[in-house]
């Protein structure tokens, strides 16, 4: 009997591809990219900006999206899959030691070595710990395997980024900010095809910032299926150790602050360098104050979200914070509508791992790092100035318009320090607020860890030149033959014409009556 198209569709593959199959995909992808560049020399190969979509010929499989995106990025950069970068640059001893201390991961290395490289572990593995920029700060493991790693430049002090050594576990995990495996020919450089690398990011529990990654590497032919889970567990162990050290430091600061607060007249609190409250007197203690990225200036009056105007004085490894007036009395801790008038808000997304919010207005100037979810929400609100309902934002973030409870909860948290800068019914920035967004040079570096449908559409629109971010300069129009219509016409990013195809979609039946 003749089968229908639906019945004859190949079943979904349930087993991972072998190293030999990945090698075929790798070679076909590079060959297809080279053919496109020869066919379109005037485009400089820009036509292959997406993933390896054409690699899936008969009997072949396409690479995973994260791997395909990485290969496409490296083709745009012109990295040679045979030679790699021109030279390997190693950190000097002084810079290496400075980066080790700055990462804070030096305190977790003993427990990681003891847990992952115990004497009873027969698996040939290398453990490497990198900082947030991809520099290998520590490397340890089986001696013969380390000699093999040295031959490809995988050593202490090396910069293990995509631009330097192609697709690899450390770089992909830092970019995606989740545990990732790069197996055999998923590496962009052919010299790395005999290796499997598994890495997981590590975040500082005190600030939420990415501080590095833990990587386990070994021979591709001896890959163990549990390595991904083991590496993710090691990263959580590192974060647990960092949290324990922070709590101990907070306890020491609390012990020091107790007699001081007893002598201070009026409300006051003591926080550590990251803003976490150690002790308070005369006011309900917030769990954490938002410290600007550039830090505080001693003995100056600062406007602190949640407290209003405060005098700050350094105290040991933290700060003594004294509100000028009680925030409960007049709502001084939030931005009022009057203070929001004429305010300037800048969303800095140039660094993929460190989104920042900067606010300048009548309430003073302040800034703080953003969580990934808040960065996504503020980006959507910045590019949709007419406003969006909770259902539209849920659809844009999760692809599920029913997740309005999560959206309302996150926006409520944002309102605690943005106050009158945010309006509702629908959710939007106040009309008087000037909003700009600083994006990365490569559109695909815009919140690269985000899988939100609207963010993915925005990346594609920016790469195609059909939209631009608020405050971005208009692109220079390319010359066009006469009679082809206006050259380079492009709507502003905040207009409905430019954002309607990427932002929260209009829903005639989802108008909300409450925030």
């Amino acid at each position: 009997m003749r089968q229908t198209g639906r019945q004859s569709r190949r079943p979904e593959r349930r087993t991972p591809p072998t190293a030999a199959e990945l090698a075929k995909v790798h070679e076909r992808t590079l060959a297809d990219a080279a053919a496109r560049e020869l066919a379109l020399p005037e485009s400089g190969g820009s036509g292959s900006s997406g993933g390896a979509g054409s690699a899936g010929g008969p009997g072949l499989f396409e690479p995973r999206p994260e791997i395909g995106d990485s290969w496409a990025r490296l083709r745009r950069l012109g990295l040679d899959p045979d030679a790699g970068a021109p030279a390997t640059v190693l950190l000097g001893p002084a810079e290496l030691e400075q980066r080790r201390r700055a990462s804070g991961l030096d305190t977790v290395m003993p427990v990681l070595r003891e847990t992952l490289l115990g004497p009873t572990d027969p698996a040939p593995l290398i453990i490497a710990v990198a900082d947030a920029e991809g520099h290998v700060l520590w490397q340890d493991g089986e001696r013969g395997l380390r000699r093999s790693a040295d031959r490809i430049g995988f050593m202490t002090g090396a910069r293990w980024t995509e631009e330097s050594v192609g697709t690899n576990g450390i770089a992909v995990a830092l970019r995606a900010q989740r545990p990732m495996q790069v197996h055999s020919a998923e590496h962009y450089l052919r010299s790395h095809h005999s290796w499997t690398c598994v890495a997981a990011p590590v975040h500082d529990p005190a600030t939420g910032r990415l501080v590095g990654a833990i990587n386990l590497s070994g021979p591709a032919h001896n890959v163990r299926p549990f390595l991904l889970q083991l590496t993710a567990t090691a990263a959580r162990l590192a974060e647990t150790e960092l949290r324990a050290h922070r709590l101990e430091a907070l306890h020491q600061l609390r012990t020091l602050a107790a007699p001081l607060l007893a002598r201070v007249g009026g409300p006051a609190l003591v926080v550590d360098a990251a803003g976490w409250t150690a002790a308070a007197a005369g006011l309900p203690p917030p769990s954490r104050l938002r410290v600007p990225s550039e830090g505080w200036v001693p003995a100056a009056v600062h406007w602190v979200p949640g407290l209003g105007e405060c005098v700050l004085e350094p105290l040991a490894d933290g700060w003594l914070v004294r509100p000028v007036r009680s925030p409960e009395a007049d709502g001084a801790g939030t931005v009022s509508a009057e203070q929001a008038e004429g305010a300037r808000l800048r969303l800095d997304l140039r660094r993929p791992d460190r989104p920042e919010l900067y606010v300048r207005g009548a309430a003073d100037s302040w800034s703080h790092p953003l969580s990934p979810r808040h960065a996504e929400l503020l980006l959507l609100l910045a590019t949709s100035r007419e406003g969006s309902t909770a259902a539209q934002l849920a659809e844009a973030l999760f692809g599920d318009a029913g997740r309005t409870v999560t959206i309302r909860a996150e926006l409520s948290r944002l309102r605690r320090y943005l106050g009158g800068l945010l309006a509702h019914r629908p959710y939007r920035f106040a009309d008087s607020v000037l909003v700009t967004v600083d994006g990365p040079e490569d559109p695909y570096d815009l919140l690269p860890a985000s899988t939100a449908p609207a963010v993915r559409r925005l990346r594609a629109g920016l790469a195609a030149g059909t939209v631009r971010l608020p405050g971005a300069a208009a692109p220079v129009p390319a010359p066009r033959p006469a009679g082809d219509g206006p050259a380079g016409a492009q709507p502003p990013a905040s207009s409905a014409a430019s954002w309607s195809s990427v932002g929260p979609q209009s829903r005639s039946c989802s108008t909300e009556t409450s925030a």
Side-chain angles (χ1 to χ4, degrees):
M1 179 181 294
R2 187 174 182 178
Q3 293 181 328
T4 65
R6 182 179 300 274
Q7 293 171 328
S8 61
R9 184 177 299 169
R10 286 187 300 175
E12 181 181 355
R13 184 183 178 102
R14 296 184 180 273
T15 58
T18 64
E21 290 171 331
L22 289 174
K24 291 179 181 178
V25 173
H26 185 273
E27 297 306 316
R28 175 67 65 86
T29 301
L30 298 184
D32 288 351
R36 287 194 297 271
E37 291 167 2
L38 290 175
L40 300 171
E42 69 280 2
S43 67
S46 60
S48 59
S49 61
S54 60
L60 292 178
F61 303 95
E62 294 185 9
R64 291 179 290 146
E66 300 86 357
I67 301 301
D69 289 346
S70 176
W71 290 357
R73 187 177 305 111
L74 295 171
R75 291 199 305 271
R76 294 196 299 271
L77 294 175
L79 187 67
D80 189 335
D82 291 307
T88 301
V89 179
L90 298 179
L91 297 177
E95 185 178 0
L96 178 63
E97 188 60 31
Q98 188 275 331
R99 285 183 174 270
R100 284 176 170 176
R101 290 196 303 269
S103 72
L105 295 173
D106 52 341
T107 60
V108 307
M109 283 306 300
V111 69
L112 288 179
R113 287 193 179 100
E114 180 181 354
T115 304
L116 299 176
L117 297 175
T120 60
D121 184 12
L125 288 174
I126 289 178
I127 175 177
V129 177
D131 64 12
E133 285 74 41
H135 297 94
V136 179
L137 303 182
W138 293 273
Q139 188 213 58
D140 205 347
E142 196 269 327
R143 184 174 302 176
L145 201 57
R146 292 182 65 186
R147 286 197 296 267
S148 298
D150 288 347
R151 288 194 286 270
I152 62 171
F154 188 41
M155 59 185 71
T156 302
R159 190 165 187 260
W160 215 245
T161 62
E162 288 184 331
E163 296 80 0
S164 301
V165 295
T167 309
N168 66 88
I170 290 175
V172 174
L174 289 175
R175 185 178 185 85
Q177 296 200 35
R178 63 179 182 273
M180 296 293 298
Q181 173 177 289
V182 178
H183 175 51
S184 186
E186 288 184 322
H187 290 90
Y188 188 74
L189 299 189
R190 292 186 176 93
S191 58
H192 297 181
H193 286 188
S194 60
W195 290 84
T196 290
C197 302
V198 184
V202 178
H203 294 84
D204 183 355
T207 63
R209 285 188 172 180
L210 181 70
V211 295
I214 296 174
N215 177 86
L216 293 178
S217 296
H221 64 82
N222 196 29
V223 62
R224 305 296 180 91
F226 57 79
L227 279 185
L228 188 62
Q229 292 80 3
L230 177 62
T231 309
T233 302
R236 301 294 82 77
L237 174 62
E239 292 175 350
T240 300
E241 287 291 309
L242 291 175
R243 184 178 294 106
H245 283 279
R246 180 183 68 81
L247 292 176
E248 176 62 26
L250 204 62
H251 175 70
Q252 294 176 2
L253 183 60
R254 183 179 300 113
T255 302
L256 178 66
L260 176 64
L261 289 177
R263 298 193 303 268
V264 172
L269 69 160
V270 174
V271 300
D272 66 7
W276 291 95
T277 300
L283 76 167
S287 59
R288 183 187 180 190
L289 299 183
R290 299 185 180 276
V291 181
S293 56
E294 64 274 13
W296 283 322
V297 178
V301 176
H302 293 266
W303 190 87
V304 179
L307 292 179
E309 292 184 343
C310 299
V311 176
L312 293 100
E313 301 176 29
L315 175 65
D317 293 329
W319 294 88
L320 172 65
V321 183
R322 292 184 294 169
V324 173
R325 59 183 183 273
S326 175
E328 298 88 1
D330 55 2
T334 59
V335 181
S336 65
E338 291 77 13
Q339 291 171 325
E341 187 72 26
R344 294 175 178 267
L345 184 148
R346 181 165 64 91
L347 188 59
D348 188 351
L349 304 179
R350 290 174 295 180
R351 293 193 58 173
D353 61 324
R354 292 181 63 179
E356 300 268 355
L357 175 67
Y358 297 86
V359 177
R360 180 180 295 275
D364 202 356
S365 300
W366 52 277
S367 66
H368 75 88
L370 294 168
S371 69
R373 180 67 70 218
H374 285 179
E376 290 173 326
L377 274 171
L378 292 178
L379 176 60
L380 295 184
L381 294 175
T383 47
S384 182
R385 293 303 301 271
E386 67 275 11
S388 303
T389 66
Q392 290 170 342
L393 289 171
E395 180 71 30
L397 282 184
F398 310 115
D400 180 1
R403 297 185 61 177
T404 57
V405 173
T406 302
I407 294 295
R408 291 191 178 99
E410 294 294 348
L411 286 168
S412 177
R413 296 185 183 100
L414 282 170
R415 274 206 190 121
R416 291 175 187 173
Y417 57 92
L418 289 179
L421 298 174
L422 282 182
H424 58 282
R425 300 177 186 171
Y427 294 111
R428 67 196 186 279
F429 285 113
D431 295 337
S432 62
V433 179
L434 177 63
V435 179
T436 60
V437 179
D438 294 339
E441 293 183 5
D442 187 339
Y444 289 98
D445 282 336
L446 181 70
L447 299 180
S450 173
T451 58
V455 176
R456 297 180 66 186
R457 291 194 296 268
L458 179 56
R459 292 189 201 117
L462 292 170
T466 57
V467 297
R468 64 177 183 269
L469 297 173
V476 178
R480 300 179 61 179
D484 282 357
Q490 184 171 216
S494 59
S495 71
S498 65
W499 179 241
S500 60
S501 62
V502 293
Q505 305 299 305
S506 298
R507 301 169 67 93
S508 59
C509 60
S510 62
T511 302
E512 295 184 331
T513 58
S514 65

